[in-house]
Amino acid sequence: MSNEELLEQLESTANFMRGMQFDPRIPNDTKQALIERAQNIDALIEKYLEN
């Protein structure tokens, strides 16, 4: 897997996690944790692209 493919998969995962915040079956604290982890993935991708 190339670095570009890996970054695309990470971005897709972050987007999926963000989308889960709209599922009413998921508790709010879990939704918040998903959002925070998605933001961490975004920061990781951004940091990688800066180098």
Side-chain angles (χ1 to χ4, degrees):
M1 179 179 289
S2 71
N3 287 345
E4 184 176 321
E5 291 171 323
L6 180 59
L7 292 174
E8 287 175 6
Q9 287 299 313
L10 284 170
E11 186 175 28
S12 175
T13 300
N15 288 336
F16 176 78
M17 292 167 72
R18 269 189 284 280
M20 291 177 70
Q21 70 178 311
F22 301 108
D23 188 335
R25 299 170 295 175
I26 297 175
N28 286 333
D29 58 335
T30 303
K31 290 178 187 179
Q32 186 60 38
L34 288 166
I35 292 167
E36 289 172 11
R37 294 295 288 180
Q39 291 170 340
N40 290 342
I41 293 171
D42 290 339
L44 177 70
I45 292 169
E46 187 174 323
K47 183 178 178 180
Y48 178 82
L49 292 175
E50 288 176 356
N51 294 327

